[in-house]
Coordinates of all heavy atoms in Angstrom, one line a residue:
M6 N 14.8 -43.4 67.8 CA 15.0 -44.1 66.6 C 16.4 -44.0 66.0 O 17.0 -43.1 66.2 CB 14.0 -43.5 65.5 CG 12.6 -43.5 65.9 SD 11.9 -45.2 66.2 CE 11.4 -45.6 64.5
Q7 N 16.8 -45.1 65.4 CA 18.1 -45.1 64.7 C 17.9 -45.4 63.2 O 17.1 -46.2 62.9 CB 18.9 -46.3 65.2 CG 19.1 -46.3 66.8 CD 20.0 -47.5 67.2 OE1 21.2 -47.4 67.2 NE2 19.3 -48.6 67.6
T8 N 18.5 -44.6 62.4 CA 18.4 -44.8 61.0 C 19.6 -45.5 60.5 O 20.8 -45.2 60.7 CB 18.3 -43.4 60.3 OG1 17.2 -42.6 60.9 CG2 18.0 -43.5 58.8
C9 N 19.3 -46.5 59.7 CA 20.4 -47.3 59.0 C 21.1 -46.6 57.9 O 20.4 -46.1 57.0 CB 19.9 -48.6 58.5 SG 21.1 -49.6 57.7
S10 N 22.4 -46.4 57.8 CA 23.0 -45.7 56.8 C 23.1 -46.5 55.5 O 23.4 -46.0 54.5 CB 24.5 -45.3 57.2 OG 25.2 -46.4 57.4
K11 N 22.8 -47.8 55.6 CA 22.9 -48.6 54.4 C 21.6 -48.7 53.6 O 21.6 -48.7 52.5 CB 23.3 -50.0 54.8 CG 24.7 -50.0 55.4 CD 25.2 -51.5 55.5 CE 26.7 -51.5 55.4 NZ 27.3 -52.7 55.1
C12 N 20.5 -48.9 54.4 CA 19.2 -49.1 53.7 C 18.1 -48.0 54.1 O 17.0 -48.0 53.6 CB 18.7 -50.4 53.9 SG 18.0 -50.7 55.7
N13 N 18.5 -47.1 55.0 CA 17.7 -46.0 55.4 C 16.4 -46.4 56.3 O 15.6 -45.6 56.6 CB 17.1 -45.3 54.2 CG 17.8 -43.9 54.0 OD1 18.4 -43.4 54.9 ND2 17.8 -43.4 52.8
A14 N 16.3 -47.7 56.6 CA 15.2 -48.2 57.5 C 15.5 -47.6 58.9 O 16.6 -47.4 59.3 CB 15.2 -49.6 57.5
T15 N 14.4 -47.4 59.7 CA 14.5 -47.0 61.0 C 14.3 -48.1 62.0 O 13.3 -48.9 61.7 CB 13.6 -45.8 61.4 OG1 12.2 -46.2 60.9 CG2 14.0 -44.5 60.7
S16 N 15.1 -48.2 63.0 CA 14.9 -49.3 64.0 C 14.8 -48.5 65.4 O 15.1 -47.4 65.6 CB 16.3 -50.1 64.0 OG 16.5 -50.7 62.7
P17 N 14.2 -49.3 66.3 CA 14.0 -48.7 67.7 C 15.4 -48.5 68.4 O 16.4 -49.0 68.0 CB 13.2 -49.8 68.4 CG 13.2 -51.0 67.5 CD 13.6 -50.6 66.2
D18 N 15.3 -47.6 69.3 CA 16.6 -47.2 70.1 C 17.3 -48.4 70.6 O 18.5 -48.4 70.7 CB 16.3 -46.3 71.3 CG 16.0 -44.9 70.8 OD1 16.1 -44.6 69.6 OD2 15.7 -44.1 71.7
S19 N 16.6 -49.4 71.0 CA 17.2 -50.6 71.7 C 17.8 -51.6 70.8 O 18.4 -52.5 71.1 CB 16.2 -51.2 72.5 OG 15.0 -51.5 71.8
A20 N 17.5 -51.4 69.4 CA 18.0 -52.4 68.5 C 19.5 -52.4 68.3 O 20.1 -51.4 68.3 CB 17.3 -52.2 67.1
Q21 N 20.1 -53.6 68.2 CA 21.5 -53.7 67.9 C 21.8 -53.7 66.5 O 22.8 -53.2 65.9 CB 22.1 -55.0 68.6 CG 21.7 -55.1 70.0 CD 22.6 -54.3 71.0 OE1 23.8 -54.2 70.7 NE2 22.0 -53.7 71.9
K22 N 20.8 -54.3 65.7 CA 21.0 -54.5 64.3 C 19.8 -53.9 63.5 O 18.7 -53.9 64.1 CB 21.0 -56.0 64.0 CG 22.1 -56.8 64.7 CD 23.1 -57.4 63.8 CE 24.3 -57.8 64.5 NZ 24.6 -59.2 64.4
C23 N 20.0 -53.5 62.3 CA 19.0 -52.9 61.6 C 17.9 -53.9 61.3 O 18.2 -55.1 61.0 CB 19.6 -52.4 60.2 SG 18.3 -52.0 58.9
V24 N 16.6 -53.5 61.5 CA 15.5 -54.4 61.4 C 15.3 -55.0 60.0 O 14.7 -56.0 59.7 CB 14.2 -53.8 61.9 CG1 14.2 -53.6 63.4 CG2 13.9 -52.6 61.2
K25 N 15.9 -54.2 59.0 CA 15.7 -54.6 57.6 C 16.9 -55.3 57.0 O 16.7 -56.4 56.5 CB 15.4 -53.3 56.8 CG 14.8 -53.6 55.4 CD 14.3 -52.2 54.7 CE 14.1 -52.5 53.3 NZ 14.2 -51.2 52.6
C26 N 18.1 -54.8 57.1 CA 19.2 -55.4 56.4 C 20.2 -56.0 57.4 O 21.2 -56.5 57.0 CB 19.9 -54.4 55.5 SG 20.9 -53.1 56.5
N27 N 19.9 -55.9 58.7 CA 20.7 -56.6 59.7 C 22.1 -55.9 59.9 O 23.0 -56.6 60.5 CB 20.9 -58.1 59.4 CG 20.7 -59.0 60.6 OD1 20.1 -58.5 61.6 ND2 21.3 -60.1 60.6
A28 N 22.3 -54.7 59.4 CA 23.6 -54.1 59.6 C 23.8 -53.8 61.1 O 22.8 -53.5 61.8 CB 23.7 -52.8 58.8
D29 N 25.0 -53.9 61.6 CA 25.3 -53.5 63.0 C 25.1 -52.0 63.2 O 25.9 -51.2 62.7 CB 26.7 -54.0 63.3 CG 27.1 -53.8 64.7 OD1 26.3 -53.1 65.5 OD2 28.1 -54.3 65.2
L30 N 24.1 -51.6 63.9 CA 23.8 -50.2 64.1 C 24.9 -49.5 64.9 O 24.9 -48.3 64.9 CB 22.4 -50.0 64.7 CG 21.3 -50.4 63.8 CD1 20.0 -50.4 64.4 CD2 21.3 -49.5 62.5
K31 N 25.8 -50.2 65.7 CA 26.8 -49.5 66.4 C 27.9 -49.0 65.4 O 28.7 -48.2 65.8 CB 27.5 -50.5 67.4 CG 26.6 -50.9 68.6 CD 27.2 -50.5 69.9 CE 26.4 -50.8 71.1 NZ 25.0 -50.5 70.9
E32 N 27.8 -49.5 64.2 CA 28.8 -49.1 63.2 C 28.1 -48.4 62.1 O 28.7 -47.5 61.4 CB 29.4 -50.4 62.7 CG 30.8 -50.3 62.4 CD 31.5 -51.6 62.0 OE1 31.1 -52.6 62.7 OE2 32.3 -51.6 61.1
Y33 N 26.9 -48.8 61.7 CA 26.3 -48.3 60.6 C 25.0 -47.4 60.7 O 24.4 -47.1 59.7 CB 25.9 -49.4 59.6 CG 27.2 -50.1 59.1 CD1 27.5 -51.4 59.5 CD2 28.0 -49.5 58.2 CE1 28.6 -52.1 59.0 CE2 29.1 -50.1 57.8 CZ 29.5 -51.4 58.2 OH 30.6 -52.0 57.7
S34 N 24.7 -47.0 61.9 CA 23.5 -46.0 62.1 C 24.0 -44.7 61.5 O 25.2 -44.4 61.5 CB 23.1 -45.9 63.6 OG 23.9 -45.0 64.2
A35 N 23.1 -43.9 61.0 CA 23.3 -42.6 60.4 C 24.1 -41.8 61.4 O 25.0 -41.0 61.0 CB 22.1 -42.0 59.9
T36 N 23.8 -41.8 62.7 CA 24.4 -40.9 63.6 C 25.9 -41.3 63.9 O 26.8 -40.5 64.0 CB 23.7 -40.9 65.0 OG1 23.4 -42.2 65.5 CG2 22.4 -40.0 64.9
V37 N 26.2 -42.7 63.9 CA 27.5 -43.1 64.1 C 28.3 -42.7 62.9 O 29.5 -42.3 63.0 CB 27.5 -44.7 64.3 CG1 29.0 -45.2 64.3 CG2 26.8 -45.0 65.6
V38 N 27.8 -43.0 61.7 CA 28.6 -42.7 60.5 C 28.9 -41.1 60.4 O 30.0 -40.7 60.1 CB 27.8 -43.1 59.2 CG1 28.4 -42.5 58.0 CG2 27.7 -44.6 59.1
A39 N 27.9 -40.3 60.8 CA 28.1 -38.8 60.8 C 29.1 -38.5 61.9 O 30.1 -37.7 61.6 CB 26.8 -38.1 61.2
L40 N 29.1 -39.1 63.0 CA 30.2 -38.9 64.1 C 31.5 -39.2 63.6 O 32.5 -38.5 63.7 CB 29.8 -39.6 65.3 CG 30.8 -39.5 66.5 CD1 31.0 -38.1 66.9 CD2 30.5 -40.4 67.6
Q41 N 31.7 -40.4 62.9 CA 33.0 -40.8 62.4 C 33.5 -39.8 61.4 O 34.8 -39.6 61.4 CB 32.9 -42.2 61.8 CG 32.7 -43.3 63.0 CD 32.4 -44.6 62.5 OE1 32.0 -44.8 61.3 NE2 32.5 -45.6 63.3
R42 N 32.6 -39.3 60.6 CA 33.1 -38.3 59.5 C 33.6 -37.1 60.3 O 34.6 -36.5 59.8 CB 31.9 -38.0 58.6 CG 32.3 -37.6 57.3 CD 31.1 -37.6 56.3 NE 30.6 -38.9 56.1 CZ 29.3 -39.2 55.8 NH1 28.4 -38.2 55.7 NH2 28.9 -40.4 55.5
M43 N 32.9 -36.6 61.3 CA 33.3 -35.4 62.0 C 34.6 -35.7 62.7 O 35.5 -34.8 62.7 CB 32.3 -35.0 63.1 CG 30.9 -34.6 62.5 SD 29.7 -34.2 63.8 CE 28.2 -34.5 62.9
Q44 N 34.8 -36.8 63.4 CA 36.0 -37.1 64.1 C 37.2 -37.2 63.2 O 38.3 -36.9 63.6 CB 35.8 -38.4 64.8 CG 35.0 -38.2 66.1 CD 34.6 -39.6 66.8 OE1 34.4 -40.6 66.2 NE2 34.6 -39.5 68.1
A45 N 36.9 -37.6 61.9 CA 38.1 -37.7 61.0 C 38.4 -36.4 60.3 O 39.5 -36.3 59.7 CB 37.7 -38.7 59.8
N46 N 37.6 -35.4 60.5 CA 37.8 -34.1 59.9 C 38.6 -33.1 60.8 O 38.1 -32.8 61.9 CB 36.5 -33.5 59.6 CG 36.6 -32.1 58.9 OD1 37.7 -31.5 58.8 ND2 35.5 -31.7 58.3
P47 N 39.8 -32.8 60.4 CA 40.7 -32.0 61.3 C 40.1 -30.7 61.6 O 40.5 -30.0 62.6 CB 42.0 -31.9 60.6 CG 41.7 -32.3 59.2 CD 40.5 -33.2 59.2
R48 N 39.2 -30.1 60.8 CA 38.6 -28.8 61.0 C 37.6 -28.8 62.1 O 37.2 -27.8 62.7 CB 38.0 -28.3 59.7 CG 39.0 -27.9 58.6 CD 38.3 -27.4 57.4 NE 37.4 -26.3 57.6 CZ 36.1 -26.3 57.2 NH1 35.6 -27.3 56.6 NH2 35.4 -25.2 57.5
V49 N 37.1 -30.0 62.5 CA 36.2 -30.1 63.5 C 36.9 -30.1 64.8 O 37.7 -31.1 65.1 CB 35.2 -31.4 63.3 CG1 34.3 -31.5 64.5 CG2 34.5 -31.3 62.1
K50 N 36.7 -29.2 65.8 CA 37.4 -29.0 67.0 C 36.7 -29.8 68.1 O 37.3 -30.2 69.1 CB 37.5 -27.6 67.3 CG 38.2 -26.7 66.3 CD 39.7 -27.1 66.1 CE 40.3 -26.3 65.0 NZ 41.4 -27.0 64.4
A51 N 35.4 -29.9 68.1 CA 34.6 -30.5 69.2 C 33.3 -30.9 68.6 O 33.0 -30.5 67.4 CB 34.5 -29.5 70.3
I52 N 32.5 -31.7 69.3 CA 31.3 -32.2 68.8 C 30.2 -31.8 69.8 O 30.3 -32.1 71.0 CB 31.3 -33.6 68.5 CG1 32.2 -33.8 67.3 CG2 29.9 -34.2 68.2 CD1 32.8 -35.2 67.0
R53 N 29.1 -31.2 69.4 CA 28.0 -30.9 70.2 C 26.9 -31.9 70.0 O 26.5 -32.3 68.9 CB 27.5 -29.5 69.9 CG 26.5 -28.9 70.8 CD 26.4 -27.4 70.7 NE 26.6 -26.9 69.4 CZ 27.3 -25.7 69.2 NH1 27.8 -25.1 70.1 NH2 27.5 -25.3 67.9
V54 N 26.3 -32.3 71.2 CA 25.1 -33.1 71.0 C 23.9 -32.2 71.1 O 23.7 -31.4 72.2 CB 25.1 -34.2 72.2 CG1 23.7 -34.9 72.2 CG2 26.2 -35.2 72.0
T55 N 23.1 -32.2 70.2 CA 21.9 -31.3 70.1 C 20.6 -32.1 70.3 O 20.6 -33.3 69.8 CB 21.9 -30.6 68.7 OG1 23.1 -29.9 68.6 CG2 20.7 -29.6 68.7
V56 N 19.6 -31.6 71.0 CA 18.5 -32.4 71.3 C 17.3 -31.8 70.6 O 17.3 -30.6 70.1 CB 18.1 -32.4 72.8 CG1 19.3 -32.9 73.6 CG2 17.8 -31.0 73.3
A57 N 16.2 -32.5 70.4 CA 15.0 -32.1 69.9 C 14.3 -31.2 70.9 O 14.6 -31.3 72.1 CB 14.0 -33.3 69.6
H58 N 13.4 -30.2 70.4 CA 12.9 -29.2 71.3 C 12.0 -29.9 72.4 O 11.8 -29.2 73.5 CB 12.0 -28.2 70.5 CG 10.9 -28.7 69.8 ND1 9.6 -28.6 70.4 CD2 10.7 -29.4 68.7 CE1 8.8 -29.2 69.6 NE2 9.4 -29.7 68.5
D59 N 11.5 -31.0 72.1 CA 10.6 -31.7 73.1 C 11.3 -32.9 73.7 O 10.7 -33.9 74.2 CB 9.3 -32.1 72.5 CG 9.5 -33.1 71.4 OD1 10.6 -33.2 70.9 OD2 8.5 -33.8 71.0
A60 N 12.7 -32.8 73.8 CA 13.5 -34.0 74.3 C 13.1 -34.2 75.8 O 12.7 -33.3 76.5 CB 14.9 -33.7 74.1
C61 N 13.4 -35.4 76.2 CA 13.2 -35.7 77.7 C 14.3 -35.1 78.5 O 15.3 -34.7 78.0 CB 13.1 -37.2 77.8 SG 14.7 -38.0 77.8
P62 N 14.1 -35.0 79.9 CA 15.1 -34.4 80.8 C 16.4 -35.1 80.7 O 17.5 -34.4 80.8 CB 14.4 -34.6 82.2 CG 13.0 -34.8 81.9 CD 12.9 -35.4 80.6
H63 N 16.4 -36.4 80.5 CA 17.7 -37.1 80.4 C 18.5 -36.6 79.3 O 19.7 -36.3 79.4 CB 17.4 -38.6 80.3 CG 18.6 -39.4 80.1 ND1 19.4 -39.8 81.2 CD2 19.3 -39.9 79.0 CE1 20.5 -40.5 80.8 NE2 20.4 -40.6 79.4
C64 N 17.9 -36.5 78.2 CA 18.6 -36.0 77.0 C 19.1 -34.5 77.1 O 20.2 -34.1 76.7 CB 17.8 -36.1 75.7 SG 17.6 -37.9 75.2
Y65 N 18.2 -33.7 77.7 CA 18.5 -32.3 78.0 C 19.8 -32.1 78.7 O 20.6 -31.3 78.5 CB 17.3 -31.6 78.6 CG 16.5 -30.7 77.6 CD1 15.2 -31.1 77.4 CD2 17.1 -29.6 77.0 CE1 14.4 -30.3 76.4 CE2 16.3 -28.9 76.1 CZ 15.1 -29.3 75.8 OH 14.4 -28.6 74.9
E66 N 19.9 -33.1 79.7 CA 21.0 -32.9 80.6 C 22.3 -33.3 79.9 O 23.3 -32.8 80.3 CB 20.8 -34.0 81.7 CG 21.6 -33.7 83.0 CD 21.0 -34.5 84.1 OE1 19.9 -34.4 84.5 OE2 21.8 -35.3 84.6
L67 N 22.2 -34.1 78.8 CA 23.4 -34.5 78.1 C 23.7 -33.6 76.9 O 24.5 -33.9 76.1 CB 23.3 -36.0 77.7 CG 23.2 -36.9 78.9 CD1 22.8 -38.4 78.5 CD2 24.6 -37.0 79.5
M68 N 22.9 -32.5 76.8 CA 23.1 -31.6 75.7 C 24.3 -30.8 76.0 O 24.2 -29.8 76.8 CB 21.8 -30.8 75.5 CG 22.0 -29.7 74.4 SD 20.6 -28.8 74.0 CE 20.2 -28.0 75.5
Q69 N 25.5 -31.2 75.5 CA 26.7 -30.5 75.9 C 27.6 -30.5 74.7 O 27.4 -31.2 73.6 CB 27.4 -31.2 77.0 CG 26.7 -31.2 78.3 CD 27.4 -32.0 79.4 OE1 28.6 -32.2 79.2 NE2 26.7 -32.3 80.5
T70 N 28.8 -29.8 74.8 CA 29.8 -29.9 73.8 C 30.9 -30.8 74.4 O 31.3 -30.7 75.5 CB 30.5 -28.5 73.5 OG1 29.3 -27.6 73.1 CG2 31.5 -28.6 72.4
Y71 N 31.3 -31.8 73.5 CA 32.2 -32.8 74.0 C 33.4 -32.7 73.2 O 33.5 -32.3 72.0 CB 31.6 -34.2 73.8 CG 30.4 -34.5 74.6 CD1 29.1 -34.1 74.2 CD2 30.5 -35.0 75.9 CE1 28.0 -34.4 74.9 CE2 29.4 -35.3 76.7 CZ 28.1 -34.9 76.2 OH 27.0 -35.2 77.0
K72 N 34.5 -33.2 73.8 CA 35.8 -33.3 73.1 C 35.6 -34.5 72.1 O 34.9 -35.4 72.3 CB 36.9 -33.7 74.1 CG 37.3 -32.6 74.9 CD 38.4 -33.0 75.9 CE 38.7 -31.9 76.8 NZ 39.4 -32.4 78.1
K73 N 36.3 -34.3 70.9 CA 36.1 -35.2 69.8 C 36.3 -36.7 70.2 O 35.6 -37.5 69.7 CB 37.1 -34.9 68.7 CG 36.5 -34.0 67.7 CD 37.6 -33.5 66.8 CE 37.9 -34.5 65.6 NZ 38.8 -33.9 64.6
E74 N 37.3 -37.0 71.0 CA 37.6 -38.3 71.4 C 36.7 -38.9 72.5 O 36.9 -40.0 73.0 CB 39.1 -38.5 71.7 CG 39.6 -37.7 72.8 CD 39.8 -36.2 72.5 OE1 39.6 -35.7 71.4 OE2 40.3 -35.5 73.4
N75 N 35.8 -38.0 73.0 CA 35.1 -38.4 74.2 C 33.5 -38.1 74.0 O 32.9 -37.6 75.0 CB 35.7 -37.6 75.4 CG 35.3 -38.1 76.8 OD1 35.0 -39.3 76.8 ND2 35.4 -37.4 77.7
V76 N 33.0 -38.6 72.9 CA 31.6 -38.3 72.6 C 30.7 -39.5 73.0 O 31.1 -40.6 72.7 CB 31.5 -38.0 71.1 CG1 30.0 -37.6 70.8 CG2 32.4 -36.8 70.7
P77 N 29.6 -39.2 73.8 CA 28.8 -40.3 74.1 C 28.1 -40.9 72.9 O 27.8 -40.2 72.0 CB 27.8 -39.7 75.1 CG 27.8 -38.3 74.7 CD 29.1 -37.9 74.1
A78 N 27.7 -42.2 73.0 CA 27.0 -42.9 71.9 C 25.5 -42.4 71.9 O 24.9 -42.2 72.9 CB 27.1 -44.4 72.1
L79 N 25.0 -42.3 70.7 CA 23.5 -42.0 70.5 C 23.0 -43.3 69.8 O 23.6 -44.0 69.1 CB 23.4 -40.8 69.7 CG 23.8 -39.4 70.2 CD1 23.5 -38.4 69.2 CD2 23.1 -39.1 71.5
P80 N 21.7 -43.5 70.1 CA 20.8 -42.9 71.0 C 21.1 -43.1 72.5 O 21.6 -44.1 72.8 CB 19.4 -43.5 70.6 CG 19.8 -44.9 70.2 CD 21.1 -44.7 69.4
H81 N 20.8 -42.0 73.3 CA 20.9 -42.2 74.7 C 20.1 -43.4 75.3 O 18.9 -43.4 75.1 CB 20.5 -40.9 75.4 CG 21.4 -39.7 75.1 ND1 20.8 -38.5 74.6 CD2 22.7 -39.5 75.3 CE1 21.8 -37.7 74.4 NE2 23.0 -38.2 74.7
Q82 N 20.8 -44.3 76.0 CA 20.1 -45.5 76.5 C 19.1 -45.1 77.6 O 18.1 -45.9 77.8 CB 21.1 -46.5 77.0 CG 22.0 -47.1 75.9 CD 21.2 -47.7 74.8 OE1 20.2 -48.5 75.0 NE2 21.5 -47.5 73.6
G83 N 19.3 -44.0 78.3 CA 18.3 -43.7 79.4 C 17.1 -42.8 78.9 O 16.4 -42.3 79.7
C84 N 17.0 -42.6 77.6 CA 15.9 -41.7 77.2 C 14.6 -42.3 77.6 O 14.2 -43.4 77.4 CB 16.0 -41.6 75.6 SG 14.8 -40.5 74.9
S85 N 13.7 -41.3 77.9 CA 12.3 -41.7 78.4 C 11.2 -41.2 77.5 O 10.1 -41.3 77.8 CB 12.1 -41.3 79.8 OG 12.2 -39.8 79.9
H86 N 11.6 -40.5 76.4 CA 10.6 -40.0 75.5 C 9.9 -41.0 74.7 O 10.4 -42.1 74.4 CB 11.3 -39.0 74.5 CG 10.3 -38.1 73.7 ND1 9.6 -38.6 72.7 CD2 9.9 -36.8 74.0 CE1 8.8 -37.6 72.2 NE2 9.0 -36.5 73.0
Q87 N 8.6 -40.8 74.5 CA 7.8 -41.9 73.8 C 8.3 -42.2 72.4 O 8.2 -43.4 71.9 CB 6.4 -41.5 73.7 CG 6.1 -40.2 73.0 CD 4.6 -39.9 72.9 OE1 3.7 -40.8 73.1 NE2 4.3 -38.7 72.5
N88 N 8.9 -41.3 71.8 CA 9.5 -41.6 70.4 C 11.0 -41.9 70.4 O 11.6 -42.2 69.4 CB 9.3 -40.3 69.5 CG 7.8 -40.1 69.2 OD1 7.0 -41.0 69.2 ND2 7.5 -38.8 69.0
G89 N 11.5 -42.0 71.7 CA 12.9 -42.4 71.8 C 13.8 -41.2 71.6 O 13.4 -40.1 71.4
C90 N 15.1 -41.4 71.7 CA 16.0 -40.4 71.6 C 16.2 -39.9 70.2 O 16.4 -40.8 69.3 CB 17.4 -41.0 72.1 SG 18.8 -39.8 71.9
R91 N 16.1 -38.6 70.0 CA 16.3 -38.0 68.7 C 17.4 -37.0 68.7 O 17.4 -36.1 67.8 CB 15.0 -37.4 68.2 CG 13.9 -38.5 67.8 CD 12.5 -38.0 68.1 NE 12.4 -37.6 69.4 CZ 11.7 -36.5 69.9 NH1 11.0 -35.8 69.0 NH2 11.6 -36.3 71.1
C92 N 18.3 -37.3 69.6 CA 19.5 -36.3 69.6 C 20.4 -36.6 68.3 O 20.3 -37.6 67.8 CB 20.3 -36.6 70.9 SG 19.3 -36.3 72.3
F93 N 21.2 -35.6 68.0 CA 22.1 -35.8 66.9 C 23.4 -35.0 67.2 O 23.5 -34.1 68.0 CB 21.4 -35.4 65.6 CG 20.9 -33.9 65.6 CD1 21.7 -32.9 65.0 CD2 19.7 -33.7 66.0 CE1 21.2 -31.7 65.0 CE2 19.2 -32.4 66.0 CZ 20.0 -31.4 65.5
Y94 N 24.4 -35.3 66.4 CA 25.7 -34.6 66.6 C 25.9 -33.5 65.7 O 25.3 -33.5 64.6 CB 26.9 -35.7 66.2 CG 26.9 -36.9 67.1 CD1 26.7 -38.2 66.5 CD2 27.1 -36.8 68.4 CE1 26.7 -39.3 67.2 CE2 27.2 -38.0 69.2 CZ 27.0 -39.2 68.6 OH 27.1 -40.4 69.3
E95 N 26.5 -32.5 66.2 CA 26.8 -31.3 65.4 C 28.2 -30.9 65.5 O 28.8 -30.8 66.6 CB 25.9 -30.2 65.9 CG 25.2 -29.4 64.9 CD 24.4 -28.2 65.6 OE1 24.6 -27.9 66.8 OE2 23.5 -27.8 64.9
P96 N 28.9 -30.7 64.4 CA 30.4 -30.4 64.5 C 30.6 -28.9 65.0 O 29.8 -28.0 64.6 CB 30.8 -30.5 63.1 CG 29.7 -30.3 62.1 CD 28.5 -30.7 63.0
V97 N 31.5 -28.7 65.8 CA 32.0 -27.4 66.2 C 33.3 -27.1 65.5 O 34.3 -27.8 65.7 CB 32.1 -27.3 67.7 CG1 32.6 -25.8 68.1 CG2 30.8 -27.6 68.4
L98 N 33.3 -26.1 64.6 CA 34.5 -25.9 63.8 C 35.6 -25.1 64.3 O 36.7 -25.2 64.0 CB 34.0 -25.4 62.4 CG 33.1 -26.3 61.6 CD1 32.8 -25.6 60.3 CD2 33.8 -27.6 61.3
E99 N 35.2 -24.1 65.2 CA 36.2 -23.2 65.8 C 36.2 -23.4 67.3 O 35.2 -23.5 67.9 CB 35.9 -21.8 65.4 CG 35.8 -21.5 63.9 CD 37.2 -21.7 63.2 OE1 38.2 -21.5 63.9 OE2 37.2 -22.0 62.0
E100 N 37.4 -23.2 67.8 CA 37.6 -23.2 69.2 C 36.7 -22.2 69.9 O 36.2 -22.4 71.0 CB 39.1 -22.9 69.5 CG 39.7 -23.7 70.7 CD 40.2 -25.1 70.2 OE1 41.0 -25.1 69.3 OE2 39.7 -26.0 70.7
T101 N 36.6 -21.0 69.3 CA 35.9 -19.9 69.9 C 34.4 -20.1 69.8 O 33.7 -19.5 70.5 CB 36.2 -18.6 69.1 OG1 36.0 -18.8 67.7 CG2 37.6 -18.1 69.4
A102 N 33.9 -21.0 69.1 CA 32.5 -21.4 69.0 C 32.0 -22.3 70.0 O 30.8 -22.6 70.1 CB 32.2 -21.9 67.5
I103 N 33.0 -22.8 70.8 CA 32.6 -23.7 71.9 C 32.0 -22.8 73.0 O 32.8 -22.2 73.8 CB 33.8 -24.6 72.4 CG1 34.3 -25.4 71.3 CG2 33.3 -25.4 73.6 CD1 35.6 -26.1 71.6
V104 N 30.7 -22.9 73.1 CA 30.1 -22.1 74.2 C 29.4 -23.0 75.2 O 29.1 -24.2 74.9 CB 29.0 -21.1 73.6 CG1 29.7 -20.0 72.9 CG2 28.0 -21.9 72.7
G105 N 29.2 -22.5 76.4 CA 28.5 -23.3 77.4 C 29.5 -24.3 78.0 O 30.7 -24.2 77.9
K106 N 29.0 -25.3 78.7 CA 29.8 -26.2 79.4 C 30.4 -27.2 78.4 O 29.8 -27.7 77.6 CB 29.0 -26.9 80.4 CG 27.6 -27.4 80.1 CD 26.9 -28.0 81.2 CE 25.6 -28.5 80.7 NZ 24.8 -29.2 81.7
V107 N 31.6 -27.6 78.7 CA 32.4 -28.6 78.0 C 32.6 -29.7 78.9 O 33.1 -29.5 80.0 CB 33.6 -28.1 77.4 CG1 34.4 -29.2 76.7 CG2 33.4 -26.9 76.4
A108 N 32.2 -30.9 78.5 CA 32.3 -32.1 79.4 C 33.8 -32.5 79.4 O 34.4 -32.4 78.4 CB 31.4 -33.2 78.9
N109 N 34.3 -33.0 80.5 CA 35.7 -33.5 80.6 C 35.7 -35.0 80.3 O 34.9 -35.8 80.7 CB 36.2 -33.3 82.0 CG 36.4 -31.9 82.3 OD1 37.0 -31.2 81.5 ND2 35.9 -31.4 83.4
Ligands
LIG19 ZN1 19.7 -51.4 57.2
LIG20 ZN1 15.4 -38.5 75.6
LIG21 ZN1 19.0 -38.3 73.6

């Protein structure tokens, strides 16, 4: 599901535009707006993609820490969960907090 940052309506993963206000979700979904805020914040060193506990294998595989300028778009287009991709971005504030694998 994608949440519109303008009107708070939820649209399916595959939607390009908000089903209610027609905003471009590539620009105005809540996850995109949150990501842009993190990328603009110099204290954020990297961005982690976090998955729901019952996420599908595709999403689990993409649960990684990414460089700020190299973050994949959400929702994941290959998600196979019945409720769709519910992954979200999480800021990593310190270099030392980057644990696990970092994608190149
Ligand atoms: Zn909307
Ligand atoms: Zn998924
Ligand atoms: Zn996902």
Side-chain angles (χ1 to χ4, degrees):
M6 298 300 270
Q7 306 182 83
T8 304
C9 176
S10 65
K11 297 196 150 193
C12 72
N13 258 338
T15 51
S16 304
D18 282 1
S19 55
Q21 308 282 319
K22 303 245 165 117
C23 172
V24 292
K25 196 170 165 203
C26 75
N27 223 24
D29 186 347
L30 290 171
K31 290 241 176 318
E32 217 172 320
Y33 294 111
S34 82
T36 46
V37 171
V38 170
L40 175 63
Q41 284 169 348
R42 210 170 289 150
M43 291 176 208
Q44 285 173 322
N46 184 347
R48 287 179 58 230
V49 176
K50 304 296 180 200
I52 290 162
R53 186 161 34 223
V54 172
T55 303
V56 305
H58 65 96
D59 61 344
C61 76
H63 178 81
C64 289
Y65 259 112
E66 205 165 299
L67 294 168
M68 178 173 63
Q69 297 181 15
T70 303
Y71 295 91
K72 289 179 182 157
K73 268 169 86 169
E74 61 279 4
N75 201 17
V76 182
L79 293 180
H81 294 122
Q82 292 303 317
C84 181
S85 60
H86 194 277
Q87 56 175 348
N88 293 332
C90 173
R91 288 148 302 142
C92 301
F93 56 93
Y94 300 118
E95 225 178 20
V97 178
L98 295 180
E99 300 297 332
E100 220 83 59
T101 51
I103 302 175
V104 286
K106 47 182 180 172
V107 176
N109 290 314

